[in-house]
Amino acid sequence: MSPARYRRRTILAGLAGTLIAAPVLAQSRLKVAALFAGRIDDRGFMQAGYEGLKLAEQRLGARAIVQQGVAPKPEDLTAALRMLAAEGPDLVIAHGGQNNAAAKAVAAEFPAIRFVVTQGNVTGPNLASYEVLQEHSAFLAGMLAALTSPTGVVGHMSGIRVTPGLKGRAAYAAGVAQADPKVTLLTNFSGNQDDNALSGRIARAMIARDARVIFTMLNAGRAGAIDACRELGARQIGNVGDWTAIAPDVFIGSAFADSGRALYDAVADHAAGRLAVGQVKHLGLETPEAVRLVMAPSVPPEIRSRIEAAGQAIVAGSLKVPVEWSGAEFETPA
């Protein structure tokens, strides 16, 4: 497609954050407005969603309006969604479960527009949620951590307490217990997905408590944990994408869960007239292009086989992945 066939739309906004216009196909009929409560270059959850939107542009001819960088506060998210809906798109997508309440409220105000929350759990007459089941790959990540930790202690780090993150932590904890119930789990929600200084402090504190494998469910703040693990000789398990290819010296695995697939599927379903309004649509290990555990080549064959068998049992329905957990949490260091 030549540049001449593209056009750009500029939108002025008085909200905090960055509102940008993505390249669009002039002849396209489907207009999609997408909200990202974070940076679309965070090499994590937000970027994965943005790449799913770009794929929808390329394959489906969708026209896209993108707003990024809005603080994950209910009032800011509601205002941002309301502004996007006022542009008159066919579909508004709010990327991330932190948008549940805001999307529910704004969808009721604009009944002629369809709304989707990715990684959400809200529905309505014109509202659907599309969820990639990252808890499936997180469960397998817990098994990998427990089976490869030389100290019998493993870590988990996340930021905001949104439902998908809590479910992922619960699944990881269950995977640890499934592999070896004697392994100790240190788990922390810091309140921030993007603060590298903070994630570095937490990772170092966990390593000081003998955690030698840490599962990080972070966005731009993952780099701080990577630096700490590299410095102190600990291993890490990533999420969202394949971190074993990005930093193979640190990552022993990655709980791949492509949230962009949820965003792409929502656009594709809307284009085909089958958007799952009133429903929550799930994608799990049965869709390996969306959800899988990536293991580094160094993972021993016997561990790999055990984890693969567990994955097959999850797909078959004979192994249920818990999505709730209660227990003591690792205190965020000052």
Side-chain angles (χ1 to χ4, degrees):
M1 184 66 64
S2 68
R5 297 183 65 185
Y6 284 86
R7 62 184 177 87
R8 290 184 179 273
R9 178 180 182 130
T10 301
I11 301 170
L12 298 177
L15 294 171
T18 304
L19 190 62
I20 63 176
V24 297
L25 291 172
Q27 73 274 21
S28 171
R29 296 181 180 177
L30 183 60
K31 181 178 177 182
V32 180
L35 173 64
F36 298 90
R39 289 164 35 193
I40 58 173
D41 61 351
D42 67 359
R43 302 185 77 180
F45 179 78
M46 296 300 164
Q47 183 169 336
Y50 180 67
E51 289 174 354
L53 179 64
K54 298 301 292 181
L55 188 63
E57 285 189 300
Q58 295 163 12
R59 292 187 179 178
L60 305 172
R63 296 188 292 149
I65 300 168
V66 176
Q67 183 165 348
Q68 65 163 323
V70 176
K73 300 176 181 179
E75 61 274 19
D76 291 347
L77 297 173
T78 300
L81 285 175
R82 188 176 289 123
M83 187 186 65
L84 288 174
E87 290 292 318
D90 301 294
L91 177 65
V92 175
I93 301 178
H95 188 55
Q98 61 267 52
N99 296 286
N100 278 333
K104 187 83 170 177
V106 179
E109 297 173 12
F110 294 86
I113 298 174
R114 300 294 179 91
F115 288 76
V116 167
V117 180
T118 57
Q119 300 307 97
N121 58 8
V122 289
T123 61
N126 62 328
L127 172 63
S129 290
Y130 278 59
E131 183 180 13
V132 171
L133 297 177
Q134 63 179 340
E135 59 262 33
H136 282 186
S137 55
F139 180 93
L140 301 182
M143 293 187 66
L144 177 62
L147 294 171
T148 55
S149 174
T151 60
V153 181
V154 301
H156 158 269
M157 293 171 52
S158 192
I160 302 171
R161 291 178 183 275
V162 294
T163 298
L166 292 167
K167 289 166 66 176
R169 190 264 299 277
Y172 176 74
V176 170
Q178 174 83 9
D180 186 347
K182 297 187 297 296
V183 169
T184 298
L185 169 63
L186 308 178
T187 172
N188 174 272
F189 278 85
S190 68
N192 194 310
Q193 299 285 130
D194 303 311
D195 187 330
N196 282 302
L198 176 61
S199 65
R201 289 200 305 273
I202 295 167
R204 286 181 174 86
M206 286 188 174
I207 294 168
R209 289 273 301 275
D210 288 333
R212 290 297 180 269
V213 181
I214 301 174
F215 177 40
T216 51
M217 301 182 72
L218 297 167
N219 294 336
R222 196 188 312 270
I226 292 173
D227 289 344
C229 287
R230 183 175 285 129
E231 173 190 333
L232 298 174
R235 304 302 299 274
Q236 195 172 151
I237 299 173
N239 78 324
V240 181
D242 178 7
W243 284 88
T244 68
I246 298 170
D249 61 318
V250 172
F251 287 87
I252 195 171
S254 201
F256 189 93
D258 183 5
S259 61
R261 177 61 188 262
L263 197 149
Y264 175 83
D265 277 13
V267 178
D269 284 356
H270 189 286
R274 58 171 184 264
L275 188 71
V277 291
Q279 303 175 46
V280 179
K281 181 175 179 179
H282 295 118
L283 297 166
L285 284 173
E286 73 284 352
T287 311
E289 61 268 29
V291 181
R292 63 186 183 273
L293 179 70
V294 179
M295 290 180 274
S298 60
V299 175
E302 62 274 14
I303 293 177
R304 187 181 298 270
S305 295
R306 184 173 172 184
I307 292 172
E308 289 173 348
Q312 293 167 4
I314 291 171
V315 172
S318 57
L319 176 57
K320 301 298 183 182
V321 175
V323 293
E324 293 183 355
W325 180 87
S326 61
E329 295 192 353
F330 188 80
E331 184 175 351
T332 300

